[in-house]
């Protein structure tokens, strides 16, 4: 590759990788598989190795992850949380072992093999026997303070026995059990919410909930895999005994960890799990091999951000090739037209795969997938199978390009595609497909929770013309139900009783049940805490809505346009007549949180407290903290050497507070 080409390619790769980092670490919405991401990283690393002049300090190869998202206080890790080098085949594993052996002057060494759990790394700090702090990895140097959320995980001990060191940090992987992952995705799909791509994502999404009550409802679990640091107390001199010690303190350590004396034993361990991993209730994407003796670990040290004393031997994602018979369209609750792949059935690790996701039209175009193509289908762990791309060499010329239909395949109304959005939508609120999805959502467990009203009954009600909008659920009588297929007297009674009970649901559930685009259950809670009356909410303008922290322009727009629609206001009136709760009359918190709805930015060095302490205090009082100054920022707290944020605040006319002013404000609050 000529120098110019190499430089250009490196630039492209960095840009692409940075974008995927943000999608993965900050937004929890990855667009590509981990395997594809690894390939991009690999190419960039190779390129930088053979062209050292291209190495720049800001290259993603020098980073562990991405900066923490807004909303949690930032914490600095006393010992950085680094990552692992990868091996993708026996030869690469051997090369790792050879290098370590050479650096240890030919010494033989034991290794510990562990499963590489596909979750989210966390650091737990204990002082004087109690859990005082929990943080995510973030970029490896700074993470987010998610103590409250971590406390909800039952397998994390809140206190440890007296023989534990006075102060120490434990590291481990928080994960989402597979059985529960599938269940959650089914529920989300039923509610018209986007499904999670993989368990790691789900664990991350759950752990980074601003409301720890939501985290508490998620069945998160943890495996602990190392000691970050420890002060006071005798410590083992090898990794295996360290794990045993942690287990004796009450931490959950994986029972499949093993000591291996030779590389052959490591390879046997790897192969055993290559076939066996699917049997476990957690996702693992490889085996972590660690040099056991801490003395050897110290001697080997680190290269850049990766230890030389450990490596991750990754499992390959399973890929198969099959025919793409057709591209089907599924109309979602909010009218989105979702393309999916209809495949010639194919066996992937013992599961027959007939359907796979295709994401959206742009993705199909970008990958140049055509109907009739032989396609590569990938399934990594429990991820829903996805079409990776076509096998272009096997084309016959008979393949057809895919085009989004111009009309909704269900109701025939012309579809719309908003600029900047990847989705094509059916704009017809009365489209039977939408009404069916909406009705299922309305009565579902997280919404109005009408017990006994499943998919089949929803369909029968629509077919019998008994339901024209969701509010009609409250007009259904026993006599309406009895003529329906498979409806016994007793079940009819039960359903009528369940419908009646559902009128008592709290306001946020009612709002969520309406199925407004972009208003999930958490957003509904936020909106209800500001507007305790759906009629008031229905009159709010998008400007007013955007004032609420967490409500962006897209959401504000969607809410405004929902309530401007006369048919939707009619639904509200019908719900009111049916005595469904539209006003929240529960008593408010006794003490109002004094900084509720007020956004702060903290910058520069403070003398009396750390930035994270200041931010934590703001949040305790109900305020929010952002990392950049915008029009929504009410106060900039500026310490010493405040930098560019001060300039930005001056430009926008944001109120400035020095440290003394800030302390005064929070002491009054
Ligand atoms: S040890 C110096 N052990 O993999 C790095 N990591 O790419 C020490 N992980 O951030 C990490 N299971 O999130 C280690 N048994 C295990 C692991 C494990 C999963 C994750 C962890 C880490 C990442 C490294």
């Amino acid at each position: 590759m000529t120098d110019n080409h190499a430089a250009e390619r490196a630039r492209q790769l960095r840009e692409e990788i940075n974008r995927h980092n943000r999608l993965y670490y900050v937004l929890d919405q990855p667009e590509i598989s981990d395997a594809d991401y690894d390939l991009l990283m690999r190419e960039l690393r190779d390129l930088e190795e053979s062209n050292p002049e291209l190495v720049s300090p800001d290259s993603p190869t020098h980073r562990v992850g991405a900066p923490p998202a807004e909303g949690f206080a930032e914490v600095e890790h006393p010992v950085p949380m680094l990552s692992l080098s990868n091996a993708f085949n026996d030869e690469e594993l051997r090369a790792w072992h050879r290098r370590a052996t050479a650096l240890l002057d030919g010494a033989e060494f034991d290794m510990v093999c562990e499963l590489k759990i596909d979750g989210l790394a966390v650091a737990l700090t204990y002082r004087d026997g109690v859990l005082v702090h929990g943080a995510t990895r973030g970029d490896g140097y700074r993470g987010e303070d998610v103590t409250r959320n971590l406390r909800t995980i039952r397998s994390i001990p809140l206190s440890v026995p007296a023989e534990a060191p006075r102060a120490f940090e434990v590291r481990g992987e928080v994960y989402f059990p597979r059985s529960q992952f599938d269940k959650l995705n089914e529920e989300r799909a039923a509610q018209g919410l986007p499904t999670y791509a993989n368990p790691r994502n789900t664990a991350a999404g759950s752990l980074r909930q601003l409301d720890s009550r939501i985290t508490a409802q998620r069945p998160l679990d943890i495996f602990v895999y190392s000691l970050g640091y420890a002060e006071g107390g005798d410590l083992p001199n090898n990794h295996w005994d360290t794990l045993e010690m942690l287990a004796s303190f009450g931490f959950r350590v994986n029972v499949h960890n093993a000591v291996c004396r030779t590389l052959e034993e490591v390879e046997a361990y790897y192969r055993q799990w290559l076939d066996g991993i699917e049997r476990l209730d957690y996702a693992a994407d490889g085996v972590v091999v660690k040099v056991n003796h801490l003395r050897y670990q110290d001697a080997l040290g680190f290269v850049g951000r990766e230890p030389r004393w450990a490596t991750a031997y990754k499992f390959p994602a399973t890929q198969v090739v099959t025919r793409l018979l057709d591209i089907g369209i599924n109309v979602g609750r909010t009218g989105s037209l979702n393309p999916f792949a209809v495949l010639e059935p194919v066996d992937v690790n013992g599961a027959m795969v007939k359907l796979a996701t295709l994401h959206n039209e742009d993705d199909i175009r970008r990958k140049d997938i055509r109907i009739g193509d032989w396609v590569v289908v990938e399934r990594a762990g429990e991820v829903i199978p996805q079409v990776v791309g076509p096998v272009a060499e096997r084309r016959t010329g008979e393949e057809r390009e895919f085009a989004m239909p111009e009309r909704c395949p269900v109701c025939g109304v012309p579809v719309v595609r908003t600029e900047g959005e990847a989705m094509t939508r059916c704009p017809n609120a009365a489209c039977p497909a939408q009404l069916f999805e909406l009705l299922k959502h309305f009565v579902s467990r997280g919404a109005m929770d009408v017990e006994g009203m499943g998919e089949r009954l929803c369909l029968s009600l629509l077919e019998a013309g008994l339901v024209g909008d969701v509010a009609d659920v409250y007009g259904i009588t026993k006599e309406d139900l009895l003529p329906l297929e498979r409806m016994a007297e007793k079940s009819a009674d039960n359903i009528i009783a369940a419908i009646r009970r559902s009128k008592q649901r709290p306001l946020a559930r009612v709002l969520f049940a309406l199925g407004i685009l972009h208003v999930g259950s958490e957003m509904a809670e936020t909106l209800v805490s500001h507007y305790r009356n759906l009629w008031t909410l229905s009159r709010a303008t998008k400007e007013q809505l955007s004032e609420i922290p967490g409500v962006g322009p897209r959401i504000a727009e969607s809410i405004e346009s929902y309530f401007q629609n006369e048919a939707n206001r009619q639904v509200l009136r019908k719900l009111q007549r049916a005595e469904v709760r539209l006003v929240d009359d529960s008593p408010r918190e006794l003490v109002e949180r004094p900084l509720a709805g007020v956004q702060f930015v903290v910058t520069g060095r403070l003398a009396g407290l750390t930035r994270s302490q200041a931010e934590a205090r703001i949040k305790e009082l109900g305020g929010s903290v952002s990392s950049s100054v915008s029009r929504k920022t009410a106060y900039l707290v500026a310490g010493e050497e405040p930098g560019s944020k001060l300039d930005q605040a001056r430009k926008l006319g944001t109120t400035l507070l020095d440290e003394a002013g800030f302390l005064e404000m929070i002491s009054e609050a």
Side-chain angles (χ1 to χ4, degrees):
M1 201 182 288
T2 66
D3 287 1
N4 259 347
H5 269 128
E8 174 56 18
R9 180 67 189 146
R11 194 195 56 74
Q12 281 173 354
L13 285 166
R14 283 182 193 139
E15 199 178 290
E16 189 67 5
I17 291 168
N18 282 336
R19 192 170 73 83
H20 290 302
N21 273 347
R22 198 176 138 66
L23 286 166
Y24 189 80
Y25 285 104
V26 180
L27 304 173
D28 298 330
Q29 291 281 356
E31 278 179 8
I32 57 172
S33 68
D34 290 3
D36 283 349
Y37 177 86
D38 286 343
L39 282 180
L40 292 176
M41 271 303 248
R42 246 187 178 213
E43 193 189 345
L44 180 57
R45 233 182 249 142
D46 289 346
L47 211 54
E48 290 180 348
E49 239 167 59
S50 44
N51 303 276
E53 76 283 0
L54 292 181
V55 177
S56 71
D58 64 347
S59 172
T61 54
H62 295 239
R63 273 163 78 89
V64 183
E70 282 180 31
F72 291 103
E74 223 177 72
V75 279
E76 206 157 316
H77 298 302
V79 181
M81 297 182 76
L82 303 175
S83 42
L84 289 167
S85 60
N86 290 322
F88 291 98
N89 51 49
D90 284 358
E91 186 35 50
E92 293 182 357
L93 177 72
R94 287 194 193 135
W96 167 78
H97 191 264
R98 266 199 306 275
R99 220 171 305 131
T101 310
L103 286 165
L104 296 174
D105 296 328
E108 288 187 4
F109 50 86
D110 289 351
M111 290 158 277
V112 175
C113 284
E114 300 171 17
L115 294 173
K116 186 169 187 296
I117 314 296
D118 194 9
L120 187 74
V122 298
L124 306 167
T125 308
Y126 290 78
R127 237 175 260 134
D128 300 318
V130 291
L131 172 67
V132 289
H133 238 96
T136 60
R137 176 167 96 156
D139 67 2
Y141 301 95
R142 284 154 191 282
E144 294 163 316
D145 181 342
V146 287
T147 314
R148 273 159 51 104
N149 291 348
L150 284 168
R151 281 184 203 282
T152 68
I153 301 179
R154 294 208 166 68
S155 47
I156 294 181
L158 298 179
S159 62
V160 288
E163 68 267 23
R166 190 164 24 81
F168 67 99
E169 188 201 80
V170 179
R171 291 178 176 180
E173 194 84 351
V174 168
Y175 70 92
F176 207 101
R178 282 148 54 110
S179 49
Q180 310 280 342
F181 174 74
D182 295 340
K183 217 163 93 192
L184 182 73
N185 259 353
E186 274 164 29
E187 277 168 23
R188 288 180 70 87
Q191 292 171 8
L193 297 168
T195 51
Y196 289 111
N198 59 43
R200 191 216 79 93
N201 237 28
T202 321
S206 307
L207 200 57
R208 293 160 84 212
Q209 291 291 339
L210 288 166
D211 184 343
S212 58
R213 287 168 303 184
I214 295 169
T215 312
Q217 289 164 13
R218 303 268 166 94
L220 294 176
D221 213 331
I222 190 171
F223 282 120
V224 154
Y225 56 68
S226 74
L227 191 60
Y229 68 85
E231 290 165 23
D234 283 342
L235 296 175
N237 65 8
N238 68 50
H239 180 61
W240 180 262
D241 292 344
T242 308
L243 292 177
E244 300 251 283
M245 177 187 79
L246 292 174
S248 78
F249 293 165
F251 290 100
R252 190 152 179 265
V253 174
N254 193 301
V255 294
H256 301 301
N257 295 345
V259 176
C260 292
R261 299 193 188 286
T262 63
L263 209 46
E264 288 68 41
E265 283 179 35
V266 172
E267 285 168 5
Y269 181 94
Y270 174 83
R271 283 193 225 303
Q272 174 200 337
W273 286 110
L274 192 57
D275 296 331
I277 204 73
E278 301 260 331
R279 286 198 305 274
L280 301 176
D281 197 27
Y282 41 87
D285 56 352
V287 167
V288 184
V289 189
K290 302 174 180 173
V291 172
N292 192 18
H293 265 277
L294 301 187
R295 192 160 44 86
Y296 284 164
Q297 289 193 2
D298 286 343
L300 288 167
F302 294 82
V303 50
R305 60 198 183 100
E306 292 162 359
R308 286 199 196 84
W309 47 262
T311 195
Y313 191 178
K314 298 293 261 310
F315 297 138
T318 313
Q319 291 197 338
V320 293
V321 172
T322 187
R323 278 289 283 281
L324 175 64
L325 300 177
D326 200 2
I327 294 182
I329 301 283
N330 174 16
V331 183
R333 163 169 69 81
T334 52
S336 56
L337 268 55
N338 310 312
F340 62 89
V342 182
L343 303 169
E344 200 159 278
V346 60
D347 181 295
V348 190
N349 288 345
M352 271 321 236
V353 172
K354 296 192 211 80
L355 303 174
T357 29
L358 279 167
H359 302 292
N360 53 51
E361 191 183 359
D362 286 348
D363 206 49
I364 298 173
R365 196 123 307 140
R366 198 161 45 83
K367 294 179 175 162
D368 188 24
I369 298 171
R370 303 181 196 170
I371 299 168
D373 263 337
W374 287 91
V375 288
V376 177
V377 176
E378 179 179 284
R379 188 165 159 261
E382 32 296 296
V383 182
I384 307 159
Q386 53 175 328
V387 177
V388 179
V391 186
E393 307 85 80
R394 290 179 76 170
R395 284 203 172 134
T396 60
E398 303 272 295
E399 297 77 12
R400 277 186 297 124
E401 268 185 45
F402 167 75
M404 264 297 186
E406 280 167 16
R407 293 172 175 276
C408 170
V410 179
C411 70
V413 166
V415 298
V416 290
R417 181 167 166 174
T418 321
E419 227 171 290
E421 265 203 41
M423 280 300 178
T424 301
R425 292 182 192 282
C426 163
N428 174 16
C431 170
Q434 283 188 54
L435 186 53
F436 175 52
E437 296 295 330
L438 182 59
L439 183 61
K440 279 196 299 187
H441 164 74
F442 185 80
V443 299
S444 69
R445 196 132 37 93
M448 300 308 275
D449 192 11
V450 181
E451 230 178 294
M453 200 151 153
E455 192 163 320
R456 197 175 312 122
L457 182 54
C458 287
L459 197 60
S460 312
L461 290 169
L462 290 174
E463 279 169 358
L466 289 167
V467 170
D469 63 40
V470 292
D472 286 337
V473 167
Y474 295 99
I476 298 174
T477 61
K478 185 175 168 186
E479 290 63 42
D480 289 335
L481 290 177
L482 283 174
L484 300 179
E485 217 180 304
R486 269 182 275 197
M487 182 61 68
E489 174 125 10
K490 180 94 175 58
S491 7
D493 282 335
N494 288 343
I495 288 163
I496 296 296
I499 292 175
R500 191 165 352 97
R501 278 199 304 278
S502 78
K503 295 181 182 180
Q504 302 305 318
R505 303 286 171 249
L507 188 59
R509 295 256 226 129
V510 180
L511 176 56
F512 171 58
L514 293 177
I516 303 172
L517 182 61
H518 306 310
V519 180
S521 55
E522 286 139 42
M523 182 46 55
E525 294 278 358
T526 305
L527 291 166
V528 162
S529 68
H530 281 80
Y531 294 93
R532 290 154 52 88
N533 181 328
L534 288 200
W535 289 112
T536 327
L537 174 68
S538 78
R539 284 188 291 271
T541 63
K542 56 177 186 265
E543 289 74 25
Q544 289 165 338
L545 290 162
S546 312
E547 306 263 303
I548 302 174
V551 180
R554 221 165 42 119
I555 302 175
E557 173 103 44
S558 161
I559 299 169
E560 190 191 70
S561 89
Y562 177 90
F563 286 112
Q564 272 172 359
N565 182 328
E566 179 45 35
N568 292 331
R569 299 185 72 86
Q570 178 65 17
V571 168
L572 222 54
R573 282 191 285 272
K574 280 163 75 173
L575 289 175
Q576 171 150 345
R577 257 179 268 134
E579 295 177 337
V580 171
R581 193 192 298 272
L582 298 186
V583 177
D584 186 1
D585 42 19
S586 61
R588 262 198 192 257
E589 280 179 64
L590 282 182
V591 186
E592 289 264 345
R593 302 215 290 170
L595 298 183
V598 184
Q599 192 195 78
F600 287 76
V601 172
V602 186
T603 187
R605 206 164 352 100
L606 302 175
L609 70 176
T610 65
R611 233 162 46 206
S612 1
Q613 284 169 335
E615 294 178 353
R617 190 75 187 112
I618 292 168
K619 286 181 198 159
E620 265 166 40
L621 296 168
S624 65
V625 179
S626 167
S627 58
S628 58
V629 179
S630 70
R631 288 191 193 282
K632 288 190 194 169
T633 311
Y635 296 98
L636 177 74
V637 181
E640 267 174 63
E641 294 174 37
S644 64
K645 290 184 185 158
L646 184 60
D647 302 336
Q648 175 71 359
R650 290 218 168 100
K651 214 162 24 175
L652 293 175
T654 313
T655 309
L656 300 177
L657 286 175
D658 59 8
E659 185 169 346
F662 172 64
L663 290 174
E664 197 176 323
M665 174 181 231
I666 57 176
S667 66
E668 279 167 7

